[in-house]
Amino acid sequence: MKFQDAARIRYRITLPIIFLLSLAALYLFHTLLIERKNYTDTQELLNGLQVSAGEILTSPEGMGTESSTHTFKIIINQLQDYPEDNRFTKLLHNENTGLFFAAENFLRAAKSGQPEAMKKTMRRLASSVGMISSDIKKVSNSYHVNLVKYEYGLIFMICILAILHYYLVDAPMREELTRCAREKEVSKSTIKKLAERDSLTNLPGRMKFYEESERAVSTATRYNSDLALIKMDIHDFKTINQKHGQKTGDKILAGFARVVRKNLRRPDSFFRVGGDKFIILAPHTTATNAKNLTEKINKLITQTKSLKAVPFLINTGIAMCEKEENSESLLKKVDLALKESKKFGAGTVYTHPESAKPAE
């Protein structure tokens, strides 16, 4: 199974589970808030009931103020109207505590104005409220504890799954992405090196030549110094390949590049710009010195033992950098010079511009 497929399966398993558990934890938290509010509201109503009863009992008129009696009745109605699905409804309507029966007796005693009866019913009402408050607190705490246990359990499971998700999915995925990124960078670097340097001759390539030529031409035009561009190709190299094979042709190219590179000055740069075409970028070199260099190269080709197996000659074009020159125009000039050289046969050197037939 591929890494991407395995990672996709893990994502499809772990993420939905984490999402569902998170929803469950959120639902439990919401339930806890509702439960806490329900408990607080009920206790406030029970406390309000006792406070209202106390105000009625201590009222100078005996019956108490109308507002206290009205508040007492409203609280009783609110407690009686608790929905059936409320957790505290059964406790409020429990016959053993008799909350509503005690509340009715207290109202009747308050209406009669008998202090002893009011005190007696008040004690009964206080006892009922106390028992209900205690029962509600126990039920609420028990339910609250269970919800908290479930909440912590879900949070623990979410943390475990998140850790597993990180180590089984995220971390390997990041490592894979990092590895792919490194491979991409290595590929880019390799492509760049291949573009800048020829693998057969180990010479800088066309792109490197463009970079170097722009800098060299810019320097030569700025400081008014000499700059020669020498372009060479092996005469009728296609026929050599067809006759002796590509392997022999590669040996000729590599041997030619090696001989020329060994006999150049340190400031000179040597490039393979495609096929059997080579360029020498020679700063601080006059046209005469450039011609002398090409003649030396021609002699070396005929004298080098490793190049004598399949004799060959080269055609050479020379172009000199002039004022207001740029690398593109200089390259065009040397291309024209090389074409003119081929018109006069193998081993010819031609300098652009030059009206006379170049010497072989």
Side-chain angles (χ1 to χ4, degrees):
M1 183 182 293
K2 294 182 179 179
F3 176 82
Q4 291 84 352
D5 296 335
R8 193 178 296 113
I9 291 173
R10 295 191 192 106
Y11 263 108
R12 289 178 177 176
I13 293 174
T14 56
L15 284 182
I17 293 176
I18 292 174
F19 178 73
L20 291 175
L21 290 176
S22 300
L23 288 179
L26 184 63
Y27 173 77
L28 281 179
F29 180 73
H30 178 68
T31 304
L32 278 170
L33 294 179
I34 294 175
E35 178 66 20
R36 177 55 59 184
K37 187 176 186 303
N38 186 28
Y39 170 76
T40 303
D41 291 345
T42 305
Q43 289 289 19
E44 286 180 355
L45 288 175
L46 292 173
N47 291 335
L49 189 66
Q50 281 190 301
V51 170
S52 300
E55 290 177 353
I56 294 171
L57 180 64
T58 58
S59 172
E61 293 83 3
M63 178 59 189
T65 62
E66 293 184 4
S67 61
S68 297
T69 305
H70 181 68
T71 302
F72 187 90
K73 291 180 178 179
I74 289 176
I75 293 174
I76 288 296
N77 291 333
Q78 288 178 345
L79 291 172
Q80 287 179 331
D81 291 339
Y82 262 41
E84 293 183 1
D85 58 349
N86 191 295
R87 191 171 306 281
F88 305 135
T89 301
K90 289 184 178 180
L91 296 176
L92 292 172
H93 290 274
N94 192 338
E95 293 181 357
N96 293 328
T97 56
L99 173 65
F100 300 117
F101 179 75
E104 290 177 4
N105 288 338
F106 176 76
L107 285 176
R108 281 197 294 268
K111 188 176 181 180
S112 66
Q114 298 177 2
E116 291 299 326
M118 291 177 63
K119 290 180 181 180
K120 184 178 180 180
T121 53
M122 178 64 185
R123 286 194 294 270
R124 175 59 181 163
L125 177 63
S127 175
S128 298
V129 170
M131 288 189 291
I132 292 175
S133 295
S134 178
D135 292 342
I136 287 175
K137 186 176 182 180
K138 290 180 182 178
V139 171
S140 180
N141 286 343
S142 176
Y143 186 66
H144 184 269
V145 168
N146 290 333
L147 286 179
V148 169
K149 287 181 181 178
Y150 293 144
E151 182 78 12
Y152 278 120
L154 286 174
I155 293 174
F156 178 76
M157 291 177 64
I158 291 171
C159 292
I160 294 297
L161 282 174
I163 293 171
L164 291 176
H165 180 79
Y166 174 79
Y167 284 104
L168 294 179
V169 181
D170 285 351
M173 181 67 75
R174 274 196 295 271
E175 291 177 1
E176 179 70 10
L177 291 175
T178 303
R179 186 184 64 80
C180 291
R182 284 198 299 264
E183 289 180 355
K184 187 176 181 180
E185 289 299 322
V186 171
S187 299
K188 284 183 178 180
S189 177
T190 303
I191 292 171
K192 185 177 180 181
K193 287 180 181 178
L194 290 174
E196 292 181 350
R197 185 166 292 275
D198 174 55
S199 58
L200 176 63
T201 61
N202 199 30
L203 292 176
R206 183 185 297 273
M207 292 184 66
K208 193 67 175 176
F209 164 71
Y210 289 148
E211 295 177 8
E212 295 291 335
S213 63
E214 286 183 2
R215 283 197 291 267
V217 170
S218 177
T219 302
T221 54
R222 178 181 299 176
Y223 298 105
N224 197 25
S225 59
D226 294 320
L227 175 66
L229 193 64
I230 305 169
K231 189 170 185 178
M232 302 171 289
D233 72 355
I234 298 174
H235 184 76
D236 205 12
F237 184 70
K238 185 177 180 181
T239 302
I240 294 175
N241 260 342
Q242 292 175 347
K243 186 176 180 180
H244 299 281
Q246 186 175 351
K247 189 175 181 180
T248 301
D250 290 345
K251 287 183 179 179
I252 291 173
L253 293 173
F256 172 72
R258 186 167 53 252
V259 169
V260 175
R261 187 171 57 242
K262 286 182 179 180
N263 290 273
L264 290 179
R265 302 173 307 163
R266 181 165 299 196
D268 298 338
S269 302
F270 192 30
F271 307 89
R272 183 187 179 192
V273 292
D276 61 329
K277 291 180 173 54
F278 299 83
I279 287 182
I280 298 173
L281 191 63
H284 308 291
T285 303
T286 63
T288 302
N289 291 336
K291 284 184 180 180
N292 293 336
L293 175 60
T294 57
E295 290 172 2
K296 179 182 178 181
I297 291 172
N298 280 326
K299 288 181 182 179
L300 288 170
I301 290 171
T302 58
Q303 295 173 1
T304 302
K305 186 177 180 180
S306 60
L307 299 178
K308 288 183 177 180
V310 179
F312 66 92
L313 294 172
I314 62 171
N315 290 103
T316 307
I318 301 174
M320 300 301 299
C321 182
E322 300 174 353
K323 292 182 179 180
E324 306 300 329
E325 192 84 75
N326 58 52
S327 59
E328 187 177 351
S329 62
L330 185 61
L331 184 59
K332 288 181 180 178
K333 283 166 56 175
V334 80
D335 286 338
L336 290 173
L338 182 61
K339 288 181 180 179
E340 291 297 321
S341 169
K342 292 180 179 180
K343 292 180 182 179
F344 297 104
T348 304
V349 179
Y350 187 93
T351 303
H352 183 282
E354 192 172 80
S355 57
K357 178 181 177 180
E360 298 184 9

